[in-house]
Amino acid sequence: MNKIKLIFIVLLFPITVFSQEEMRPSITKNRTGMFELGVRNTISTFGSTNNIGTGFGGQFRLRISKRINTEWFADFITEDIDGLAKRNDYHIGWSVMFYPFATEGKFVPYILAGHCFDYTKVSSSVRTNENIIADEAQSRLSSATQLGIGTHFNATDYFDISFGVQYMVHLGNDIHTDVHEHNGTKELHIEKESHSNPVLEGHLLFTVSVNFKLGKIW
Amino acid sequence: MVKQIVIILFFMPLSLFSQEESRVIDKGLVRFQGTIGMGKLLNLNETNIFLTGNLEYYIQSLISARGDVYYFLKNDENSLKQNHQLFSGASYHIKTNNNFDPYIGFQPGMALTQSFNSPRKGNESVQQLSSSTSYSPLISGVVGFNYYASKWFHLFVDGRIVQGRHLSNFNAVSLNEVRISFGLGFNFNVLKKKS
């Protein structure tokens, strides 16, 4: 039932911009208070497993001054770990975007920094009929901080495509996978470090998003 | 005979072209459609068949917000048991002076997927095990055109490329796919006053 509700909510996302004529921003240079809503893809690279993850997510933005915008996001990223295990990452967080150069025009570059909370789960993806012994899935919660750069491409006054790259570093328990072969049987180990030994783990995220400027809140 | 029927059905929307003077493509236009979609999995050389529909709103004559749903019906080789997909994003419509509406778009999406342990490949006696179901993020681009024949109907041809990977307790399955759908859609403008 919840899946059906979720499907309807996502499918009807475009309706959120229906008939917002009264709220719709006029073509003004003062963007303060602008509220934006969008969806995005994220590519996760250079992580601890050296595999590439693909993510789907969404965000809203609230511009608090001429040079400062805020972005509130959620992402779901999956990663294939060498064909042996899968890693799911759930990110939720926020970033402050600073516009050091142009604040309007077609291309508006930005610097961003922010915080993120994440839930990670690593589980085996080996076939049950193969000669492999696999550990149980492991999961963790962690917090992260990110720093990056990007640019908006303002296709129109009400719509932009944004390209960003950010380095996100997590502080939490490490989960790693190893494969050993013992008497002809492969052993897939999924191990989580103890709470007393948190580690830093980082990855580089490339993000492409489309955003609709829905209106000015103030 | 079958080909003739297909051709007639395909061009049937043209009978709706009523030479309207006014341009239908404008801010406030809502279009929706439901049809059958076909896709070719690029890494597996298999064909998927979907029931598909979308809903689109033009926030300007050049930009629209769009949501699409694909309900998986069949995979020829039975490599995939489930592959339902959902997309949300935007399209950029190339400016024309008539009711021909070519577009390109970007739509991130999600898939609900489940695979078999091995393709059947025509051998019905092969025992197939199902993987766990999982959610798979998708990257997707669209290209196509609409032709607004009247205030209420349009013809469309929609092409899509999808990039994704099904990860489960079985081996990973590539979801990379090229897809096409076409047919008759419906439209109306929520902002234009009745003339």
Side-chain angles (χ1 to χ4, degrees), chain A residues 3 13 18 39 41 54 56 125-127 156 158-159, chain B residues 57 60 88 109-110 135 137-138 168-171:
Chain A
K3 284 180 186 172
F13 165 76
F18 275 15
V39 290
N41 275 129
T54 306
F56 168 82
S125 60
V126 293
R127 291 186 202 172
T156 75
Y158 307 123
F159 173 78
Chain B
Y57 176 75
Q60 292 177 290
S88 185
M110 286 281 285
Y135 292 99
L138 302 170
S168 66
N169 57 330
F170 286 178
N171 287 355

mmCIF file with all atom_site columns, all heavy atoms in Angstrom, chain A residues 3 13 18 39 41 54 56 125-127 156 158-159, chain B residues 57 60 88 109-110 135 137-138 168-171:
data_model
loop_
_atom_site.group_PDB
_atom_site.id
_atom_site.type_symbol
_atom_site.label_atom_id
_atom_site.label_alt_id
_atom_site.label_comp_id
_atom_site.label_asym_id
_atom_site.label_entity_id
_atom_site.label_seq_id
_atom_site.pdbx_PDB_ins_code
_atom_site.Cartn_x
_atom_site.Cartn_y
_atom_site.Cartn_z
_atom_site.occupancy
_atom_site.B_iso_or_equiv
_atom_site.pdbx_formal_charge
_atom_site.auth_seq_id
_atom_site.auth_comp_id
_atom_site.auth_asym_id
_atom_site.auth_atom_id
_atom_site.pdbx_PDB_model_num
ATOM 1   N N   . LYS A 1 3   ? 3.891  1.440   -1.106  1.00 0.00 ? 3   LYS A N   1
ATOM 2   C CA  . LYS A 1 3   ? 4.579  1.542   -2.392  1.00 0.00 ? 3   LYS A CA  1
ATOM 3   C C   . LYS A 1 3   ? 3.680  2.261   -3.393  1.00 0.00 ? 3   LYS A C   1
ATOM 4   O O   . LYS A 1 3   ? 4.138  3.105   -4.158  1.00 0.00 ? 3   LYS A O   1
ATOM 5   C CB  . LYS A 1 3   ? 4.923  0.144   -2.922  1.00 0.00 ? 3   LYS A CB  1
ATOM 6   C CG  . LYS A 1 3   ? 6.109  -0.508  -2.237  1.00 0.00 ? 3   LYS A CG  1
ATOM 7   C CD  . LYS A 1 3   ? 6.350  -1.872  -2.827  1.00 0.00 ? 3   LYS A CD  1
ATOM 8   C CE  . LYS A 1 3   ? 7.443  -2.591  -2.037  1.00 0.00 ? 3   LYS A CE  1
ATOM 9   N NZ  . LYS A 1 3   ? 7.577  -3.987  -2.465  1.00 0.00 ? 3   LYS A NZ  1
ATOM 10  N N   . PHE A 1 13  ? 4.540  14.376  -9.167  1.00 0.00 ? 13  PHE A N   1
ATOM 11  C CA  . PHE A 1 13  ? 5.454  15.467  -8.824  1.00 0.00 ? 13  PHE A CA  1
ATOM 12  C C   . PHE A 1 13  ? 5.278  16.703  -9.713  1.00 0.00 ? 13  PHE A C   1
ATOM 13  O O   . PHE A 1 13  ? 5.269  17.820  -9.227  1.00 0.00 ? 13  PHE A O   1
ATOM 14  C CB  . PHE A 1 13  ? 6.898  14.960  -8.894  1.00 0.00 ? 13  PHE A CB  1
ATOM 15  C CG  . PHE A 1 13  ? 7.924  16.038  -8.920  1.00 0.00 ? 13  PHE A CG  1
ATOM 16  C CD1 . PHE A 1 13  ? 8.240  16.722  -7.775  1.00 0.00 ? 13  PHE A CD1 1
ATOM 17  C CD2 . PHE A 1 13  ? 8.566  16.387  -10.102 1.00 0.00 ? 13  PHE A CD2 1
ATOM 18  C CE1 . PHE A 1 13  ? 9.182  17.726  -7.804  1.00 0.00 ? 13  PHE A CE1 1
ATOM 19  C CE2 . PHE A 1 13  ? 9.504  17.376  -10.141 1.00 0.00 ? 13  PHE A CE2 1
ATOM 20  C CZ  . PHE A 1 13  ? 9.808  18.053  -8.980  1.00 0.00 ? 13  PHE A CZ  1
ATOM 21  N N   . PHE A 1 18  ? 1.732  23.060  -10.810 1.00 0.00 ? 18  PHE A N   1
ATOM 22  C CA  . PHE A 1 18  ? 0.503  23.479  -11.470 1.00 0.00 ? 18  PHE A CA  1
ATOM 23  C C   . PHE A 1 18  ? 0.018  24.812  -10.917 1.00 0.00 ? 18  PHE A C   1
ATOM 24  O O   . PHE A 1 18  ? -0.066 25.012  -9.721  1.00 0.00 ? 18  PHE A O   1
ATOM 25  C CB  . PHE A 1 18  ? -0.615 22.449  -11.223 1.00 0.00 ? 18  PHE A CB  1
ATOM 26  C CG  . PHE A 1 18  ? -0.591 21.317  -12.204 1.00 0.00 ? 18  PHE A CG  1
ATOM 27  C CD1 . PHE A 1 18  ? 0.507  21.087  -12.996 1.00 0.00 ? 18  PHE A CD1 1
ATOM 28  C CD2 . PHE A 1 18  ? -1.673 20.485  -12.324 1.00 0.00 ? 18  PHE A CD2 1
ATOM 29  C CE1 . PHE A 1 18  ? 0.525  20.044  -13.891 1.00 0.00 ? 18  PHE A CE1 1
ATOM 30  C CE2 . PHE A 1 18  ? -1.670 19.433  -13.207 1.00 0.00 ? 18  PHE A CE2 1
ATOM 31  C CZ  . PHE A 1 18  ? -0.567 19.214  -13.994 1.00 0.00 ? 18  PHE A CZ  1
ATOM 32  N N   . VAL A 1 39  ? 14.812 17.198  -8.859  1.00 0.00 ? 39  VAL A N   1
ATOM 33  C CA  . VAL A 1 39  ? 15.249 15.804  -8.740  1.00 0.00 ? 39  VAL A CA  1
ATOM 34  C C   . VAL A 1 39  ? 16.662 15.696  -9.298  1.00 0.00 ? 39  VAL A C   1
ATOM 35  O O   . VAL A 1 39  ? 17.109 16.571  -10.034 1.00 0.00 ? 39  VAL A O   1
ATOM 36  C CB  . VAL A 1 39  ? 14.309 14.837  -9.496  1.00 0.00 ? 39  VAL A CB  1
ATOM 37  C CG1 . VAL A 1 39  ? 12.974 14.736  -8.809  1.00 0.00 ? 39  VAL A CG1 1
ATOM 38  C CG2 . VAL A 1 39  ? 14.127 15.263  -10.953 1.00 0.00 ? 39  VAL A CG2 1
ATOM 39  N N   . ASN A 1 41  ? 20.327 12.941  -10.183 1.00 0.00 ? 41  ASN A N   1
ATOM 40  C CA  . ASN A 1 41  ? 21.127 11.714  -10.195 1.00 0.00 ? 41  ASN A CA  1
ATOM 41  C C   . ASN A 1 41  ? 22.481 12.026  -9.586  1.00 0.00 ? 41  ASN A C   1
ATOM 42  O O   . ASN A 1 41  ? 23.038 13.098  -9.820  1.00 0.00 ? 41  ASN A O   1
ATOM 43  C CB  . ASN A 1 41  ? 21.338 11.207  -11.624 1.00 0.00 ? 41  ASN A CB  1
ATOM 44  C CG  . ASN A 1 41  ? 20.192 10.347  -12.111 1.00 0.00 ? 41  ASN A CG  1
ATOM 45  O OD1 . ASN A 1 41  ? 19.657 10.574  -13.176 1.00 0.00 ? 41  ASN A OD1 1
ATOM 46  N ND2 . ASN A 1 41  ? 19.795 9.338   -11.344 1.00 0.00 ? 41  ASN A ND2 1
ATOM 47  N N   . THR A 1 54  ? 25.446 4.438   -8.311  1.00 0.00 ? 54  THR A N   1
ATOM 48  C CA  . THR A 1 54  ? 24.485 5.299   -9.003  1.00 0.00 ? 54  THR A CA  1
ATOM 49  C C   . THR A 1 54  ? 23.354 5.636   -8.035  1.00 0.00 ? 54  THR A C   1
ATOM 50  O O   . THR A 1 54  ? 22.858 4.748   -7.334  1.00 0.00 ? 54  THR A O   1
ATOM 51  C CB  . THR A 1 54  ? 23.895 4.579   -10.226 1.00 0.00 ? 54  THR A CB  1
ATOM 52  O OG1 . THR A 1 54  ? 24.962 4.137   -11.049 1.00 0.00 ? 54  THR A OG1 1
ATOM 53  C CG2 . THR A 1 54  ? 22.997 5.508   -11.029 1.00 0.00 ? 54  THR A CG2 1
ATOM 54  N N   . PHE A 1 56  ? 19.676 8.064   -7.012  1.00 0.00 ? 56  PHE A N   1
ATOM 55  C CA  . PHE A 1 56  ? 18.494 8.858   -7.359  1.00 0.00 ? 56  PHE A CA  1
ATOM 56  C C   . PHE A 1 56  ? 18.116 9.648   -6.121  1.00 0.00 ? 56  PHE A C   1
ATOM 57  O O   . PHE A 1 56  ? 18.182 9.144   -5.007  1.00 0.00 ? 56  PHE A O   1
ATOM 58  C CB  . PHE A 1 56  ? 17.344 7.920   -7.762  1.00 0.00 ? 56  PHE A CB  1
ATOM 59  C CG  . PHE A 1 56  ? 16.007 8.601   -7.868  1.00 0.00 ? 56  PHE A CG  1
ATOM 60  C CD1 . PHE A 1 56  ? 15.671 9.297   -9.010  1.00 0.00 ? 56  PHE A CD1 1
ATOM 61  C CD2 . PHE A 1 56  ? 15.089 8.546   -6.829  1.00 0.00 ? 56  PHE A CD2 1
ATOM 62  C CE1 . PHE A 1 56  ? 14.441 9.929   -9.116  1.00 0.00 ? 56  PHE A CE1 1
ATOM 63  C CE2 . PHE A 1 56  ? 13.853 9.173   -6.926  1.00 0.00 ? 56  PHE A CE2 1
ATOM 64  C CZ  . PHE A 1 56  ? 13.530 9.870   -8.069  1.00 0.00 ? 56  PHE A CZ  1
ATOM 65  N N   . SER A 1 125 ? 25.726 -10.538 -2.591  1.00 0.00 ? 125 SER A N   1
ATOM 66  C CA  . SER A 1 125 ? 24.937 -10.706 -3.810  1.00 0.00 ? 125 SER A CA  1
ATOM 67  C C   . SER A 1 125 ? 25.407 -11.934 -4.579  1.00 0.00 ? 125 SER A C   1
ATOM 68  O O   . SER A 1 125 ? 25.280 -12.008 -5.786  1.00 0.00 ? 125 SER A O   1
ATOM 69  C CB  . SER A 1 125 ? 25.020 -9.459  -4.691  1.00 0.00 ? 125 SER A CB  1
ATOM 70  O OG  . SER A 1 125 ? 26.348 -9.212  -5.057  1.00 0.00 ? 125 SER A OG  1
ATOM 71  N N   . VAL A 1 126 ? 25.994 -12.903 -3.842  1.00 0.00 ? 126 VAL A N   1
ATOM 72  C CA  . VAL A 1 126 ? 26.445 -14.126 -4.524  1.00 0.00 ? 126 VAL A CA  1
ATOM 73  C C   . VAL A 1 126 ? 25.294 -15.116 -4.590  1.00 0.00 ? 126 VAL A C   1
ATOM 74  O O   . VAL A 1 126 ? 24.409 -15.135 -3.756  1.00 0.00 ? 126 VAL A O   1
ATOM 75  C CB  . VAL A 1 126 ? 27.644 -14.782 -3.794  1.00 0.00 ? 126 VAL A CB  1
ATOM 76  C CG1 . VAL A 1 126 ? 28.851 -13.899 -3.895  1.00 0.00 ? 126 VAL A CG1 1
ATOM 77  C CG2 . VAL A 1 126 ? 27.306 -15.109 -2.369  1.00 0.00 ? 126 VAL A CG2 1
ATOM 78  N N   . ARG A 1 127 ? 25.319 -15.935 -5.627  1.00 0.00 ? 127 ARG A N   1
ATOM 79  C CA  . ARG A 1 127 ? 24.253 -16.911 -5.802  1.00 0.00 ? 127 ARG A CA  1
ATOM 80  C C   . ARG A 1 127 ? 24.329 -17.991 -4.719  1.00 0.00 ? 127 ARG A C   1
ATOM 81  O O   . ARG A 1 127 ? 25.410 -18.400 -4.325  1.00 0.00 ? 127 ARG A O   1
ATOM 82  C CB  . ARG A 1 127 ? 24.389 -17.592 -7.168  1.00 0.00 ? 127 ARG A CB  1
ATOM 83  C CG  . ARG A 1 127 ? 24.106 -16.697 -8.316  1.00 0.00 ? 127 ARG A CG  1
ATOM 84  C CD  . ARG A 1 127 ? 24.126 -17.536 -9.574  1.00 0.00 ? 127 ARG A CD  1
ATOM 85  N NE  . ARG A 1 127 ? 24.370 -16.705 -10.726 1.00 0.00 ? 127 ARG A NE  1
ATOM 86  C CZ  . ARG A 1 127 ? 24.585 -17.192 -11.943 1.00 0.00 ? 127 ARG A CZ  1
ATOM 87  N NH1 . ARG A 1 127 ? 24.602 -18.484 -12.131 1.00 0.00 ? 127 ARG A NH1 1
ATOM 88  N NH2 . ARG A 1 127 ? 24.787 -16.398 -12.956 1.00 0.00 ? 127 ARG A NH2 1
ATOM 89  N N   . THR A 1 156 ? 15.950 28.898  -18.275 1.00 0.00 ? 156 THR A N   1
ATOM 90  C CA  . THR A 1 156 ? 14.972 29.988  -18.293 1.00 0.00 ? 156 THR A CA  1
ATOM 91  C C   . THR A 1 156 ? 14.966 30.626  -16.905 1.00 0.00 ? 156 THR A C   1
ATOM 92  O O   . THR A 1 156 ? 15.696 30.194  -16.012 1.00 0.00 ? 156 THR A O   1
ATOM 93  C CB  . THR A 1 156 ? 13.545 29.487  -18.632 1.00 0.00 ? 156 THR A CB  1
ATOM 94  O OG1 . THR A 1 156 ? 13.002 28.820  -17.486 1.00 0.00 ? 156 THR A OG1 1
ATOM 95  C CG2 . THR A 1 156 ? 13.531 28.539  -19.818 1.00 0.00 ? 156 THR A CG2 1
ATOM 96  N N   . TYR A 1 158 ? 12.723 30.290  -14.783 1.00 0.00 ? 158 TYR A N   1
ATOM 97  C CA  . TYR A 1 158 ? 12.020 29.420  -13.835 1.00 0.00 ? 158 TYR A CA  1
ATOM 98  C C   . TYR A 1 158 ? 12.611 28.025  -13.727 1.00 0.00 ? 158 TYR A C   1
ATOM 99  O O   . TYR A 1 158 ? 12.057 27.179  -13.041 1.00 0.00 ? 158 TYR A O   1
ATOM 100 C CB  . TYR A 1 158 ? 10.547 29.291  -14.258 1.00 0.00 ? 158 TYR A CB  1
ATOM 101 C CG  . TYR A 1 158 ? 9.858  30.595  -14.446 1.00 0.00 ? 158 TYR A CG  1
ATOM 102 C CD1 . TYR A 1 158 ? 9.260  30.924  -15.662 1.00 0.00 ? 158 TYR A CD1 1
ATOM 103 C CD2 . TYR A 1 158 ? 9.804  31.519  -13.414 1.00 0.00 ? 158 TYR A CD2 1
ATOM 104 C CE1 . TYR A 1 158 ? 8.632  32.141  -15.837 1.00 0.00 ? 158 TYR A CE1 1
ATOM 105 C CE2 . TYR A 1 158 ? 9.183  32.740  -13.582 1.00 0.00 ? 158 TYR A CE2 1
ATOM 106 C CZ  . TYR A 1 158 ? 8.594  33.049  -14.796 1.00 0.00 ? 158 TYR A CZ  1
ATOM 107 O OH  . TYR A 1 158 ? 7.979  34.253  -14.972 1.00 0.00 ? 158 TYR A OH  1
ATOM 108 N N   . PHE A 1 159 ? 13.700 27.782  -14.420 1.00 0.00 ? 159 PHE A N   1
ATOM 109 C CA  . PHE A 1 159 ? 14.216 26.415  -14.497 1.00 0.00 ? 159 PHE A CA  1
ATOM 110 C C   . PHE A 1 159 ? 15.730 26.421  -14.644 1.00 0.00 ? 159 PHE A C   1
ATOM 111 O O   . PHE A 1 159 ? 16.276 27.205  -15.401 1.00 0.00 ? 159 PHE A O   1
ATOM 112 C CB  . PHE A 1 159 ? 13.580 25.726  -15.721 1.00 0.00 ? 159 PHE A CB  1
ATOM 113 C CG  . PHE A 1 159 ? 14.144 24.375  -16.025 1.00 0.00 ? 159 PHE A CG  1
ATOM 114 C CD1 . PHE A 1 159 ? 13.769 23.271  -15.281 1.00 0.00 ? 159 PHE A CD1 1
ATOM 115 C CD2 . PHE A 1 159 ? 15.046 24.197  -17.061 1.00 0.00 ? 159 PHE A CD2 1
ATOM 116 C CE1 . PHE A 1 159 ? 14.286 22.017  -15.567 1.00 0.00 ? 159 PHE A CE1 1
ATOM 117 C CE2 . PHE A 1 159 ? 15.566 22.956  -17.353 1.00 0.00 ? 159 PHE A CE2 1
ATOM 118 C CZ  . PHE A 1 159 ? 15.177 21.866  -16.608 1.00 0.00 ? 159 PHE A CZ  1
ATOM 119 N N   . TYR B 2 57  ? 3.583  18.851  -17.560 1.00 0.00 ? 57  TYR B N   1
ATOM 120 C CA  . TYR B 2 57  ? 3.032  20.197  -17.418 1.00 0.00 ? 57  TYR B CA  1
ATOM 121 C C   . TYR B 2 57  ? 4.049  21.209  -17.934 1.00 0.00 ? 57  TYR B C   1
ATOM 122 O O   . TYR B 2 57  ? 5.212  21.189  -17.530 1.00 0.00 ? 57  TYR B O   1
ATOM 123 C CB  . TYR B 2 57  ? 2.708  20.482  -15.946 1.00 0.00 ? 57  TYR B CB  1
ATOM 124 C CG  . TYR B 2 57  ? 2.216  21.888  -15.718 1.00 0.00 ? 57  TYR B CG  1
ATOM 125 C CD1 . TYR B 2 57  ? 0.926  22.244  -16.078 1.00 0.00 ? 57  TYR B CD1 1
ATOM 126 C CD2 . TYR B 2 57  ? 3.038  22.863  -15.152 1.00 0.00 ? 57  TYR B CD2 1
ATOM 127 C CE1 . TYR B 2 57  ? 0.462  23.536  -15.898 1.00 0.00 ? 57  TYR B CE1 1
ATOM 128 C CE2 . TYR B 2 57  ? 2.588  24.154  -14.958 1.00 0.00 ? 57  TYR B CE2 1
ATOM 129 C CZ  . TYR B 2 57  ? 1.303  24.485  -15.335 1.00 0.00 ? 57  TYR B CZ  1
ATOM 130 O OH  . TYR B 2 57  ? 0.850  25.772  -15.155 1.00 0.00 ? 57  TYR B OH  1
ATOM 131 N N   . GLN B 2 60  ? 6.568  26.694  -18.947 1.00 0.00 ? 60  GLN B N   1
ATOM 132 C CA  . GLN B 2 60  ? 6.723  27.705  -19.992 1.00 0.00 ? 60  GLN B CA  1
ATOM 133 C C   . GLN B 2 60  ? 6.588  26.965  -21.311 1.00 0.00 ? 60  GLN B C   1
ATOM 134 O O   . GLN B 2 60  ? 6.589  25.731  -21.330 1.00 0.00 ? 60  GLN B O   1
ATOM 135 C CB  . GLN B 2 60  ? 8.100  28.368  -19.909 1.00 0.00 ? 60  GLN B CB  1
ATOM 136 C CG  . GLN B 2 60  ? 8.313  29.236  -18.689 1.00 0.00 ? 60  GLN B CG  1
ATOM 137 C CD  . GLN B 2 60  ? 9.712  29.789  -18.662 1.00 0.00 ? 60  GLN B CD  1
ATOM 138 O OE1 . GLN B 2 60  ? 10.659 29.056  -18.445 1.00 0.00 ? 60  GLN B OE1 1
ATOM 139 N NE2 . GLN B 2 60  ? 9.852  31.078  -18.904 1.00 0.00 ? 60  GLN B NE2 1
ATOM 140 N N   . SER B 2 88  ? 11.049 10.997  -13.005 1.00 0.00 ? 88  SER B N   1
ATOM 141 C CA  . SER B 2 88  ? 10.559 12.346  -12.768 1.00 0.00 ? 88  SER B CA  1
ATOM 142 C C   . SER B 2 88  ? 11.643 13.328  -13.202 1.00 0.00 ? 88  SER B C   1
ATOM 143 O O   . SER B 2 88  ? 12.812 13.133  -12.894 1.00 0.00 ? 88  SER B O   1
ATOM 144 C CB  . SER B 2 88  ? 10.249 12.516  -11.273 1.00 0.00 ? 88  SER B CB  1
ATOM 145 O OG  . SER B 2 88  ? 9.668  13.754  -11.044 1.00 0.00 ? 88  SER B OG  1
ATOM 146 N N   . GLY B 2 109 ? 15.375 8.425   -12.121 1.00 0.00 ? 109 GLY B N   1
ATOM 147 C CA  . GLY B 2 109 ? 14.272 7.509   -11.835 1.00 0.00 ? 109 GLY B CA  1
ATOM 148 C C   . GLY B 2 109 ? 14.664 6.391   -10.891 1.00 0.00 ? 109 GLY B C   1
ATOM 149 O O   . GLY B 2 109 ? 15.815 6.286   -10.443 1.00 0.00 ? 109 GLY B O   1
ATOM 150 N N   . MET B 2 110 ? 13.678 5.569   -10.592 1.00 0.00 ? 110 MET B N   1
ATOM 151 C CA  . MET B 2 110 ? 13.870 4.397   -9.731  1.00 0.00 ? 110 MET B CA  1
ATOM 152 C C   . MET B 2 110 ? 13.198 3.199   -10.380 1.00 0.00 ? 110 MET B C   1
ATOM 153 O O   . MET B 2 110 ? 12.170 3.343   -11.041 1.00 0.00 ? 110 MET B O   1
ATOM 154 C CB  . MET B 2 110 ? 13.231 4.629   -8.356  1.00 0.00 ? 110 MET B CB  1
ATOM 155 C CG  . MET B 2 110 ? 13.987 5.577   -7.469  1.00 0.00 ? 110 MET B CG  1
ATOM 156 S SD  . MET B 2 110 ? 15.407 4.806   -6.693  1.00 0.00 ? 110 MET B SD  1
ATOM 157 C CE  . MET B 2 110 ? 14.606 3.831   -5.444  1.00 0.00 ? 110 MET B CE  1
ATOM 158 N N   . TYR B 2 135 ? 15.357 -1.999  -5.094  1.00 0.00 ? 135 TYR B N   1
ATOM 159 C CA  . TYR B 2 135 ? 15.172 -0.712  -5.749  1.00 0.00 ? 135 TYR B CA  1
ATOM 160 C C   . TYR B 2 135 ? 16.489 -0.305  -6.410  1.00 0.00 ? 135 TYR B C   1
ATOM 161 O O   . TYR B 2 135 ? 17.547 -0.389  -5.778  1.00 0.00 ? 135 TYR B O   1
ATOM 162 C CB  . TYR B 2 135 ? 14.738 0.353   -4.740  1.00 0.00 ? 135 TYR B CB  1
ATOM 163 C CG  . TYR B 2 135 ? 13.350 0.114   -4.204  1.00 0.00 ? 135 TYR B CG  1
ATOM 164 C CD1 . TYR B 2 135 ? 13.151 -0.493  -2.973  1.00 0.00 ? 135 TYR B CD1 1
ATOM 165 C CD2 . TYR B 2 135 ? 12.234 0.472   -4.947  1.00 0.00 ? 135 TYR B CD2 1
ATOM 166 C CE1 . TYR B 2 135 ? 11.880 -0.727  -2.482  1.00 0.00 ? 135 TYR B CE1 1
ATOM 167 C CE2 . TYR B 2 135 ? 10.955 0.240   -4.474  1.00 0.00 ? 135 TYR B CE2 1
ATOM 168 C CZ  . TYR B 2 135 ? 10.780 -0.360  -3.233  1.00 0.00 ? 135 TYR B CZ  1
ATOM 169 O OH  . TYR B 2 135 ? 9.516  -0.605  -2.777  1.00 0.00 ? 135 TYR B OH  1
ATOM 170 N N   . PRO B 2 137 ? 18.399 2.785   -8.575  1.00 0.00 ? 137 PRO B N   1
ATOM 171 C CA  . PRO B 2 137 ? 18.393 4.142   -9.155  1.00 0.00 ? 137 PRO B CA  1
ATOM 172 C C   . PRO B 2 137 ? 18.679 4.101   -10.654 1.00 0.00 ? 137 PRO B C   1
ATOM 173 O O   . PRO B 2 137 ? 19.443 3.258   -11.116 1.00 0.00 ? 137 PRO B O   1
ATOM 174 C CB  . PRO B 2 137 ? 19.527 4.848   -8.403  1.00 0.00 ? 137 PRO B CB  1
ATOM 175 C CG  . PRO B 2 137 ? 19.741 4.054   -7.179  1.00 0.00 ? 137 PRO B CG  1
ATOM 176 C CD  . PRO B 2 137 ? 19.438 2.634   -7.550  1.00 0.00 ? 137 PRO B CD  1
ATOM 177 N N   . LEU B 2 138 ? 18.064 4.994   -11.378 1.00 0.00 ? 138 LEU B N   1
ATOM 178 C CA  . LEU B 2 138 ? 18.218 5.039   -12.828 1.00 0.00 ? 138 LEU B CA  1
ATOM 179 C C   . LEU B 2 138 ? 18.587 6.435   -13.297 1.00 0.00 ? 138 LEU B C   1
ATOM 180 O O   . LEU B 2 138 ? 18.121 7.426   -12.724 1.00 0.00 ? 138 LEU B O   1
ATOM 181 C CB  . LEU B 2 138 ? 16.913 4.629   -13.522 1.00 0.00 ? 138 LEU B CB  1
ATOM 182 C CG  . LEU B 2 138 ? 16.346 3.247   -13.204 1.00 0.00 ? 138 LEU B CG  1
ATOM 183 C CD1 . LEU B 2 138 ? 14.939 3.109   -13.771 1.00 0.00 ? 138 LEU B CD1 1
ATOM 184 C CD2 . LEU B 2 138 ? 17.240 2.150   -13.741 1.00 0.00 ? 138 LEU B CD2 1
ATOM 185 N N   . SER B 2 168 ? 21.070 -7.466  -6.231  1.00 0.00 ? 168 SER B N   1
ATOM 186 C CA  . SER B 2 168 ? 20.224 -8.256  -5.332  1.00 0.00 ? 168 SER B CA  1
ATOM 187 C C   . SER B 2 168 ? 21.083 -9.316  -4.678  1.00 0.00 ? 168 SER B C   1
ATOM 188 O O   . SER B 2 168 ? 22.304 -9.191  -4.619  1.00 0.00 ? 168 SER B O   1
ATOM 189 C CB  . SER B 2 168 ? 19.075 -8.893  -6.124  1.00 0.00 ? 168 SER B CB  1
ATOM 190 O OG  . SER B 2 168 ? 19.599 -9.841  -7.031  1.00 0.00 ? 168 SER B OG  1
ATOM 191 N N   . ASN B 2 169 ? 20.459 -10.400 -4.223  1.00 0.00 ? 169 ASN B N   1
ATOM 192 C CA  . ASN B 2 169 ? 21.240 -11.506 -3.667  1.00 0.00 ? 169 ASN B CA  1
ATOM 193 C C   . ASN B 2 169 ? 21.757 -12.438 -4.775  1.00 0.00 ? 169 ASN B C   1
ATOM 194 O O   . ASN B 2 169 ? 22.418 -13.423 -4.496  1.00 0.00 ? 169 ASN B O   1
ATOM 195 C CB  . ASN B 2 169 ? 20.394 -12.289 -2.657  1.00 0.00 ? 169 ASN B CB  1
ATOM 196 C CG  . ASN B 2 169 ? 19.109 -12.808 -3.262  1.00 0.00 ? 169 ASN B CG  1
ATOM 197 O OD1 . ASN B 2 169 ? 18.572 -12.194 -4.181  1.00 0.00 ? 169 ASN B OD1 1
ATOM 198 N ND2 . ASN B 2 169 ? 18.611 -13.918 -2.779  1.00 0.00 ? 169 ASN B ND2 1
ATOM 199 N N   . PHE B 2 170 ? 21.429 -12.141 -6.032  1.00 0.00 ? 170 PHE B N   1
ATOM 200 C CA  . PHE B 2 170 ? 21.990 -12.853 -7.185  1.00 0.00 ? 170 PHE B CA  1
ATOM 201 C C   . PHE B 2 170 ? 22.971 -11.924 -7.893  1.00 0.00 ? 170 PHE B C   1
ATOM 202 O O   . PHE B 2 170 ? 23.187 -10.793 -7.485  1.00 0.00 ? 170 PHE B O   1
ATOM 203 C CB  . PHE B 2 170 ? 20.887 -13.255 -8.161  1.00 0.00 ? 170 PHE B CB  1
ATOM 204 C CG  . PHE B 2 170 ? 20.041 -14.406 -7.693  1.00 0.00 ? 170 PHE B CG  1
ATOM 205 C CD1 . PHE B 2 170 ? 18.973 -14.844 -8.457  1.00 0.00 ? 170 PHE B CD1 1
ATOM 206 C CD2 . PHE B 2 170 ? 20.302 -15.066 -6.502  1.00 0.00 ? 170 PHE B CD2 1
ATOM 207 C CE1 . PHE B 2 170 ? 18.183 -15.902 -8.040  1.00 0.00 ? 170 PHE B CE1 1
ATOM 208 C CE2 . PHE B 2 170 ? 19.518 -16.118 -6.071  1.00 0.00 ? 170 PHE B CE2 1
ATOM 209 C CZ  . PHE B 2 170 ? 18.451 -16.546 -6.843  1.00 0.00 ? 170 PHE B CZ  1
ATOM 210 N N   . ASN B 2 171 ? 23.497 -12.426 -9.009  1.00 0.00 ? 171 ASN B N   1
ATOM 211 C CA  . ASN B 2 171 ? 24.425 -11.588 -9.776  1.00 0.00 ? 171 ASN B CA  1
ATOM 212 C C   . ASN B 2 171 ? 23.738 -10.317 -10.268 1.00 0.00 ? 171 ASN B C   1
ATOM 213 O O   . ASN B 2 171 ? 22.535 -10.318 -10.530 1.00 0.00 ? 171 ASN B O   1
ATOM 214 C CB  . ASN B 2 171 ? 24.948 -12.363 -10.983 1.00 0.00 ? 171 ASN B CB  1
ATOM 215 C CG  . ASN B 2 171 ? 25.944 -13.432 -10.559 1.00 0.00 ? 171 ASN B CG  1
ATOM 216 O OD1 . ASN B 2 171 ? 26.304 -13.527 -9.388  1.00 0.00 ? 171 ASN B OD1 1
ATOM 217 N ND2 . ASN B 2 171 ? 26.371 -14.245 -11.500 1.00 0.00 ? 171 ASN B ND2 1
#
